Amino acid sequence: MKAGQTGSEKREGYIYGIDGLRAVAVLMVFAYHLRLPFAKGGLLGVTVFFVISGFLITRILITELENTHTINLKNFWIRRMRRLLPAVLTMLPVLIFVTAIFNRVLFTKACSDLLSVLLGYNNWWQIFNNVSYFENAGAPSPLTHCWSLAIEAQFYLVYPLLLIFLSKLRNKKKKMMIVTILLAFVSVILMGVLFDPAKDPSRAYYGTDTRVFSLLFGSFLAFVTQDGRLERKVAGLIRESVGVLSFAGLLCMMAAIDGYSSFLYRGGQALASLLALFVILAVLNKRSVLGRVLSILPLKWIGERSYGIYLWHYPIILLLSGGKKASWWIGLIAILLTFLAAGFSYRFIETPIRHGVIRKNLDIIRREPRTRRERKRQIRFLRRGLKMTAFVLIVGVSSILCVALVPRKSVLSNKEELEAQADQAKAKQTDSEGEESKSRKEMTDEELLADLDLLLMGDSIALGASDEFYAAFPNSICDAAVSRYTTESFDLYDSYVNEKGWAGDGVIFALGSNGLLYDSLGTMREKLGPDMPFFVFTARAPYTTWETSNNEEIYEFTDSTDNTYLIDWYGVSEGHAEYFDADETHLTEEGAKAYVECIKEEVLKVYKEE
């Protein structure tokens, strides 16, 4: 920097507010993973990251195209790798060591995701190797959040190639803009089309094709603001007002919209992307009040380290909380450790490598010394380089040895046993279909339960209690399956009524642990008609974000709906660790007995009154 040159002159291209917007985004993602009540839609912070990345990267690519009429792909990709990989390669060995010692389940899951994170295809790994209910039981993988890094890496790989191709055509800028916005809208449509609330939404959530619209919206903004015409045409006050309203709208969406809402897949993510665009457009004005507010020192500090904070926060939260909602002091420790790790990474690893410290040190070591002082300096850098190389080798080899030699530990050890129970349940279900009801006059409790023809629709939790269920209800049906969603109950019930001619005494709804209820309860109640008893289980799924909301809805629904009865498994199982396997969700033998006992008690109350 020349004498007398100010910091603002040095950073003339700096956009006030971008760091602050990054900070808000990463803090909301952090709060979402801590399950804080004011961040129900905090996952939209990732959407904001995508928009910012698309905008900034495309500005760089456009400038290079204008100056050189091409893009130096090698240099571009090397710069991107220098920006992304050092922090990842710092976090991964630490994660492997710590989980190998303190949490073997997280270690096992991290090892399975390791290669996909390093090679930038983690999002597709999660889609094509859709982790079963067994592997998802308990805390998720500590590398699950790396899906977003994979999408950005894929965008950096493909989008420059597209721009190079389009730059060969006439009216290249116009064609680049048209293709960019068309691809963005195709991506928005794909997200809506591929989302099915009755199925696992991971295909729509993790897909590059269904999420790239946020990056492309940012790219489009880079094109339309490149020459400054838009800023000159639209009055600063208007842009400022729209920016403030958009920022408020983003905060409202992040605070109020449930992360599993269908709205997010059917336009909500696109709306959040557009709001982020208007915020960026507002802060492009150097006189922007919003930009100045978002540039205050704490937000600027967090924003500059937002990448490291994003990388470190999720593994730290899982290690401290085990994947369940954490107490306030655990959350505070997670915040402090994350900021320390991210600050260290930014100061000593990311920034030096991004500024070419490795190449500079190599140049000093290779240079022929002209003086004794230069020779001493060269030796000092050589020793430092050897120490760093030895350290990196030790860490790398140790990580590889951990991955190769440390025994794995799955969340559930009885996967085969549960699958065998599924086969037995189907056989018993077939046997029970031909049995006829007896007269219920003067029956004992056992005789009444044996005579009832109930249909239990459940997931793998109910599946673990199927033997106990058939022992108590030999004339009933237990149709339970792994990874069953609540909305799958509609077709399941219709198949029994329409194809098998089932016309039993009542339905037991034992779902709600694998996702939101959506409209399942109301729809099932309509299908059953007013006369058939409907029993609804509360959910015990402590590692999910929907346990509380589902149970609240179940309590309200059963209390306000006629001929609908609550089986409060959540309340009954509270404080009974002996009922559950290591994941605190699936049942032990004692838990299966307690589970079926809940059904028996509520069923007897209802049918004894008839």
PDB file of all heavy atoms in Angstrom, residues 572-596:
ATOM      1  N   VAL A 572     -45.289 -42.009  28.375  1.00  0.00           N
ATOM      2  CA  VAL A 572     -45.075 -43.252  29.119  1.00  0.00           C
ATOM      3  C   VAL A 572     -43.594 -43.611  29.185  1.00  0.00           C
ATOM      4  O   VAL A 572     -43.093 -44.088  30.210  1.00  0.00           O
ATOM      5  CB  VAL A 572     -45.872 -44.405  28.471  1.00  0.00           C
ATOM      6  CG1 VAL A 572     -45.453 -45.749  29.043  1.00  0.00           C
ATOM      7  CG2 VAL A 572     -47.367 -44.177  28.662  1.00  0.00           C
ATOM      8  N   SER A 573     -42.869 -43.358  28.088  1.00  0.00           N
ATOM      9  CA  SER A 573     -41.462 -43.778  28.017  1.00  0.00           C
ATOM     10  C   SER A 573     -40.504 -42.764  28.630  1.00  0.00           C
ATOM     11  O   SER A 573     -39.306 -43.050  28.744  1.00  0.00           O
ATOM     12  CB  SER A 573     -41.073 -44.023  26.555  1.00  0.00           C
ATOM     13  OG  SER A 573     -41.209 -42.836  25.797  1.00  0.00           O
ATOM     14  N   GLU A 574     -40.999 -41.583  29.000  1.00  0.00           N
ATOM     15  CA  GLU A 574     -40.135 -40.557  29.568  1.00  0.00           C
ATOM     16  C   GLU A 574     -39.418 -41.086  30.811  1.00  0.00           C
ATOM     17  O   GLU A 574     -40.032 -41.605  31.748  1.00  0.00           O
ATOM     18  CB  GLU A 574     -40.969 -39.324  29.935  1.00  0.00           C
ATOM     19  CG  GLU A 574     -40.168 -38.180  30.498  1.00  0.00           C
ATOM     20  CD  GLU A 574     -39.271 -37.520  29.465  1.00  0.00           C
ATOM     21  OE1 GLU A 574     -39.595 -37.602  28.256  1.00  0.00           O
ATOM     22  OE2 GLU A 574     -38.241 -36.943  29.856  1.00  0.00           O
ATOM     23  N   GLY A 575     -38.091 -40.981  30.811  1.00  0.00           N
ATOM     24  CA  GLY A 575     -37.300 -41.412  31.955  1.00  0.00           C
ATOM     25  C   GLY A 575     -37.024 -42.893  32.018  1.00  0.00           C
ATOM     26  O   GLY A 575     -36.428 -43.371  32.999  1.00  0.00           O
ATOM     27  N   HIS A 576     -37.395 -43.644  30.993  1.00  0.00           N
ATOM     28  CA  HIS A 576     -37.178 -45.102  30.982  1.00  0.00           C
ATOM     29  C   HIS A 576     -36.129 -45.456  29.926  1.00  0.00           C
ATOM     30  O   HIS A 576     -36.447 -45.931  28.834  1.00  0.00           O
ATOM     31  CB  HIS A 576     -38.488 -45.833  30.701  1.00  0.00           C
ATOM     32  CG  HIS A 576     -39.456 -45.796  31.842  1.00  0.00           C
ATOM     33  ND1 HIS A 576     -39.371 -46.632  32.924  1.00  0.00           N
ATOM     34  CD2 HIS A 576     -40.526 -44.987  32.065  1.00  0.00           C
ATOM     35  CE1 HIS A 576     -40.352 -46.372  33.772  1.00  0.00           C
ATOM     36  NE2 HIS A 576     -41.066 -45.358  33.282  1.00  0.00           N
ATOM     37  N   ALA A 577     -34.873 -45.248  30.268  1.00  0.00           N
ATOM     38  CA  ALA A 577     -33.789 -45.567  29.330  1.00  0.00           C
ATOM     39  C   ALA A 577     -33.751 -47.052  29.011  1.00  0.00           C
ATOM     40  O   ALA A 577     -33.273 -47.450  27.943  1.00  0.00           O
ATOM     41  CB  ALA A 577     -32.458 -45.113  29.914  1.00  0.00           C
ATOM     42  N   GLU A 578     -34.271 -47.876  29.920  1.00  0.00           N
ATOM     43  CA  GLU A 578     -34.228 -49.328  29.700  1.00  0.00           C
ATOM     44  C   GLU A 578     -35.150 -49.772  28.573  1.00  0.00           C
ATOM     45  O   GLU A 578     -35.064 -50.906  28.106  1.00  0.00           O
ATOM     46  CB  GLU A 578     -34.600 -50.064  30.996  1.00  0.00           C
ATOM     47  CG  GLU A 578     -36.064 -49.959  31.412  1.00  0.00           C
ATOM     48  CD  GLU A 578     -36.382 -48.695  32.198  1.00  0.00           C
ATOM     49  OE1 GLU A 578     -35.506 -47.786  32.243  1.00  0.00           O
ATOM     50  OE2 GLU A 578     -37.490 -48.603  32.767  1.00  0.00           O
ATOM     51  N   TYR A 579     -36.012 -48.890  28.110  1.00  0.00           N
ATOM     52  CA  TYR A 579     -36.934 -49.237  27.018  1.00  0.00           C
ATOM     53  C   TYR A 579     -36.267 -49.160  25.652  1.00  0.00           C
ATOM     54  O   TYR A 579     -36.849 -49.629  24.667  1.00  0.00           O
ATOM     55  CB  TYR A 579     -38.139 -48.298  27.005  1.00  0.00           C
ATOM     56  CG  TYR A 579     -39.136 -48.490  28.132  1.00  0.00           C
ATOM     57  CD1 TYR A 579     -40.205 -47.609  28.288  1.00  0.00           C
ATOM     58  CD2 TYR A 579     -39.030 -49.542  29.038  1.00  0.00           C
ATOM     59  CE1 TYR A 579     -41.129 -47.773  29.315  1.00  0.00           C
ATOM     60  CE2 TYR A 579     -39.937 -49.712  30.067  1.00  0.00           C
ATOM     61  CZ  TYR A 579     -40.987 -48.808  30.198  1.00  0.00           C
ATOM     62  OH  TYR A 579     -41.902 -48.966  31.214  1.00  0.00           O
ATOM     63  N   PHE A 580     -35.064 -48.564  25.575  1.00  0.00           N
ATOM     64  CA  PHE A 580     -34.518 -48.215  24.265  1.00  0.00           C
ATOM     65  C   PHE A 580     -33.122 -48.770  24.043  1.00  0.00           C
ATOM     66  O   PHE A 580     -32.340 -48.958  24.978  1.00  0.00           O
ATOM     67  CB  PHE A 580     -34.484 -46.690  24.115  1.00  0.00           C
ATOM     68  CG  PHE A 580     -35.823 -46.045  24.256  1.00  0.00           C
ATOM     69  CD1 PHE A 580     -36.174 -45.394  25.426  1.00  0.00           C
ATOM     70  CD2 PHE A 580     -36.749 -46.108  23.225  1.00  0.00           C
ATOM     71  CE1 PHE A 580     -37.409 -44.809  25.566  1.00  0.00           C
ATOM     72  CE2 PHE A 580     -37.994 -45.521  23.354  1.00  0.00           C
ATOM     73  CZ  PHE A 580     -38.336 -44.879  24.529  1.00  0.00           C
ATOM     74  N   ASP A 581     -32.823 -48.974  22.752  1.00  0.00           N
ATOM     75  CA  ASP A 581     -31.467 -49.317  22.333  1.00  0.00           C
ATOM     76  C   ASP A 581     -30.584 -48.070  22.432  1.00  0.00           C
ATOM     77  O   ASP A 581     -31.021 -47.022  22.904  1.00  0.00           O
ATOM     78  CB  ASP A 581     -31.477 -49.842  20.897  1.00  0.00           C
ATOM     79  CG  ASP A 581     -31.983 -51.282  20.828  1.00  0.00           C
ATOM     80  OD1 ASP A 581     -31.807 -52.022  21.816  1.00  0.00           O
ATOM     81  OD2 ASP A 581     -32.574 -51.656  19.798  1.00  0.00           O
ATOM     82  N   ALA A 582     -29.363 -48.187  21.905  1.00  0.00           N
ATOM     83  CA  ALA A 582     -28.400 -47.099  22.033  1.00  0.00           C
ATOM     84  C   ALA A 582     -28.862 -45.815  21.355  1.00  0.00           C
ATOM     85  O   ALA A 582     -28.439 -44.724  21.741  1.00  0.00           O
ATOM     86  CB  ALA A 582     -27.055 -47.526  21.443  1.00  0.00           C
ATOM     87  N   ASP A 583     -29.733 -45.921  20.360  1.00  0.00           N
ATOM     88  CA  ASP A 583     -30.188 -44.729  19.658  1.00  0.00           C
ATOM     89  C   ASP A 583     -31.296 -43.986  20.390  1.00  0.00           C
ATOM     90  O   ASP A 583     -31.754 -42.938  19.929  1.00  0.00           O
ATOM     91  CB  ASP A 583     -30.646 -45.072  18.248  1.00  0.00           C
ATOM     92  CG  ASP A 583     -31.886 -45.962  18.232  1.00  0.00           C
ATOM     93  OD1 ASP A 583     -32.286 -46.456  19.314  1.00  0.00           O
ATOM     94  OD2 ASP A 583     -32.454 -46.157  17.154  1.00  0.00           O
ATOM     95  N   GLU A 584     -31.759 -44.535  21.516  1.00  0.00           N
ATOM     96  CA  GLU A 584     -32.810 -43.943  22.335  1.00  0.00           C
ATOM     97  C   GLU A 584     -34.129 -43.791  21.575  1.00  0.00           C
ATOM     98  O   GLU A 584     -34.965 -42.963  21.922  1.00  0.00           O
ATOM     99  CB  GLU A 584     -32.363 -42.578  22.885  1.00  0.00           C
ATOM    100  CG  GLU A 584     -31.114 -42.660  23.742  1.00  0.00           C
ATOM    101  CD  GLU A 584     -30.691 -41.316  24.276  1.00  0.00           C
ATOM    102  OE1 GLU A 584     -31.559 -40.566  24.724  1.00  0.00           O
ATOM    103  OE2 GLU A 584     -29.487 -41.016  24.230  1.00  0.00           O
ATOM    104  N   THR A 585     -34.321 -44.613  20.565  1.00  0.00           N
ATOM    105  CA  THR A 585     -35.534 -44.549  19.746  1.00  0.00           C
ATOM    106  C   THR A 585     -36.142 -45.929  19.569  1.00  0.00           C
ATOM    107  O   THR A 585     -37.339 -46.128  19.806  1.00  0.00           O
ATOM    108  CB  THR A 585     -35.219 -43.937  18.367  1.00  0.00           C
ATOM    109  OG1 THR A 585     -34.632 -42.647  18.538  1.00  0.00           O
ATOM    110  CG2 THR A 585     -36.484 -43.821  17.517  1.00  0.00           C
ATOM    111  N   HIS A 586     -35.323 -46.899  19.132  1.00  0.00           N
ATOM    112  CA  HIS A 586     -35.805 -48.253  18.913  1.00  0.00           C
ATOM    113  C   HIS A 586     -35.865 -49.029  20.229  1.00  0.00           C
ATOM    114  O   HIS A 586     -35.218 -48.663  21.206  1.00  0.00           O
ATOM    115  CB  HIS A 586     -34.920 -48.976  17.894  1.00  0.00           C
ATOM    116  CG  HIS A 586     -35.056 -48.402  16.507  1.00  0.00           C
ATOM    117  ND1 HIS A 586     -34.261 -47.380  16.073  1.00  0.00           N
ATOM    118  CD2 HIS A 586     -35.912 -48.686  15.499  1.00  0.00           C
ATOM    119  CE1 HIS A 586     -34.602 -47.059  14.832  1.00  0.00           C
ATOM    120  NE2 HIS A 586     -35.603 -47.838  14.469  1.00  0.00           N
ATOM    121  N   LEU A 587     -36.638 -50.103  20.222  1.00  0.00           N
ATOM    122  CA  LEU A 587     -37.066 -50.738  21.468  1.00  0.00           C
ATOM    123  C   LEU A 587     -36.196 -51.935  21.871  1.00  0.00           C
ATOM    124  O   LEU A 587     -35.796 -52.743  21.022  1.00  0.00           O
ATOM    125  CB  LEU A 587     -38.516 -51.206  21.332  1.00  0.00           C
ATOM    126  CG  LEU A 587     -39.527 -50.133  20.925  1.00  0.00           C
ATOM    127  CD1 LEU A 587     -40.899 -50.757  20.710  1.00  0.00           C
ATOM    128  CD2 LEU A 587     -39.595 -49.029  21.962  1.00  0.00           C
ATOM    129  N   THR A 588     -35.977 -52.033  23.161  1.00  0.00           N
ATOM    130  CA  THR A 588     -35.442 -53.257  23.736  1.00  0.00           C
ATOM    131  C   THR A 588     -36.619 -54.217  23.961  1.00  0.00           C
ATOM    132  O   THR A 588     -37.783 -53.877  23.708  1.00  0.00           O
ATOM    133  CB  THR A 588     -34.761 -52.971  25.074  1.00  0.00           C
ATOM    134  OG1 THR A 588     -35.746 -52.417  25.985  1.00  0.00           O
ATOM    135  CG2 THR A 588     -33.626 -51.983  24.912  1.00  0.00           C
ATOM    136  N   GLU A 589     -36.328 -55.390  24.465  1.00  0.00           N
ATOM    137  CA  GLU A 589     -37.398 -56.343  24.758  1.00  0.00           C
ATOM    138  C   GLU A 589     -38.356 -55.776  25.801  1.00  0.00           C
ATOM    139  O   GLU A 589     -39.584 -55.886  25.672  1.00  0.00           O
ATOM    140  CB  GLU A 589     -36.791 -57.669  25.251  1.00  0.00           C
ATOM    141  CG  GLU A 589     -37.820 -58.755  25.498  1.00  0.00           C
ATOM    142  CD  GLU A 589     -37.178 -60.065  25.916  1.00  0.00           C
ATOM    143  OE1 GLU A 589     -35.935 -60.197  25.759  1.00  0.00           O
ATOM    144  OE2 GLU A 589     -37.917 -60.952  26.396  1.00  0.00           O
ATOM    145  N   GLU A 590     -37.796 -55.133  26.820  1.00  0.00           N
ATOM    146  CA  GLU A 590     -38.636 -54.512  27.849  1.00  0.00           C
ATOM    147  C   GLU A 590     -39.440 -53.358  27.267  1.00  0.00           C
ATOM    148  O   GLU A 590     -40.615 -53.151  27.602  1.00  0.00           O
ATOM    149  CB  GLU A 590     -37.766 -54.028  29.004  1.00  0.00           C
ATOM    150  CG  GLU A 590     -38.558 -53.510  30.196  1.00  0.00           C
ATOM    151  CD  GLU A 590     -37.675 -53.178  31.372  1.00  0.00           C
ATOM    152  OE1 GLU A 590     -36.452 -53.452  31.309  1.00  0.00           O
ATOM    153  OE2 GLU A 590     -38.204 -52.628  32.361  1.00  0.00           O
ATOM    154  N   GLY A 591     -38.816 -52.605  26.358  1.00  0.00           N
ATOM    155  CA  GLY A 591     -39.512 -51.497  25.720  1.00  0.00           C
ATOM    156  C   GLY A 591     -40.654 -51.966  24.846  1.00  0.00           C
ATOM    157  O   GLY A 591     -41.718 -51.323  24.787  1.00  0.00           O
ATOM    158  N   ALA A 592     -40.465 -53.086  24.158  1.00  0.00           N
ATOM    159  CA  ALA A 592     -41.527 -53.629  23.309  1.00  0.00           C
ATOM    160  C   ALA A 592     -42.746 -54.022  24.148  1.00  0.00           C
ATOM    161  O   ALA A 592     -43.900 -53.794  23.743  1.00  0.00           O
ATOM    162  CB  ALA A 592     -41.006 -54.831  22.531  1.00  0.00           C
ATOM    163  N   LYS A 593     -42.499 -54.589  25.309  1.00  0.00           N
ATOM    164  CA  LYS A 593     -43.613 -54.964  26.192  1.00  0.00           C
ATOM    165  C   LYS A 593     -44.365 -53.722  26.665  1.00  0.00           C
ATOM    166  O   LYS A 593     -45.601 -53.697  26.686  1.00  0.00           O
ATOM    167  CB  LYS A 593     -43.086 -55.751  27.389  1.00  0.00           C
ATOM    168  CG  LYS A 593     -42.542 -57.130  27.032  1.00  0.00           C
ATOM    169  CD  LYS A 593     -41.987 -57.837  28.268  1.00  0.00           C
ATOM    170  CE  LYS A 593     -41.434 -59.208  27.894  1.00  0.00           C
ATOM    171  NZ  LYS A 593     -40.837 -59.900  29.079  1.00  0.00           N
ATOM    172  N   ALA A 594     -43.610 -52.671  27.041  1.00  0.00           N
ATOM    173  CA  ALA A 594     -44.246 -51.432  27.495  1.00  0.00           C
ATOM    174  C   ALA A 594     -45.014 -50.766  26.353  1.00  0.00           C
ATOM    175  O   ALA A 594     -46.098 -50.194  26.562  1.00  0.00           O
ATOM    176  CB  ALA A 594     -43.188 -50.484  28.045  1.00  0.00           C
ATOM    177  N   TYR A 595     -44.471 -50.848  25.154  1.00  0.00           N
ATOM    178  CA  TYR A 595     -45.102 -50.261  23.961  1.00  0.00           C
ATOM    179  C   TYR A 595     -46.474 -50.885  23.715  1.00  0.00           C
ATOM    180  O   TYR A 595     -47.475 -50.190  23.513  1.00  0.00           O
ATOM    181  CB  TYR A 595     -44.172 -50.490  22.771  1.00  0.00           C
ATOM    182  CG  TYR A 595     -44.528 -49.800  21.489  1.00  0.00           C
ATOM    183  CD1 TYR A 595     -44.086 -48.506  21.237  1.00  0.00           C
ATOM    184  CD2 TYR A 595     -45.262 -50.443  20.503  1.00  0.00           C
ATOM    185  CE1 TYR A 595     -44.364 -47.873  20.031  1.00  0.00           C
ATOM    186  CE2 TYR A 595     -45.561 -49.821  19.303  1.00  0.00           C
ATOM    187  CZ  TYR A 595     -45.108 -48.536  19.069  1.00  0.00           C
ATOM    188  OH  TYR A 595     -45.397 -47.912  17.882  1.00  0.00           O
ATOM    189  N   VAL A 596     -46.523 -52.214  23.758  1.00  0.00           N
ATOM    190  CA  VAL A 596     -47.785 -52.920  23.518  1.00  0.00           C
ATOM    191  C   VAL A 596     -48.738 -52.742  24.699  1.00  0.00           C
ATOM    192  O   VAL A 596     -49.966 -52.678  24.525  1.00  0.00           O
ATOM    193  CB  VAL A 596     -47.515 -54.405  23.237  1.00  0.00           C
ATOM    194  CG1 VAL A 596     -48.819 -55.193  23.147  1.00  0.00           C
ATOM    195  CG2 VAL A 596     -46.716 -54.555  21.941  1.00  0.00           C
TER     196      VAL A 596
END
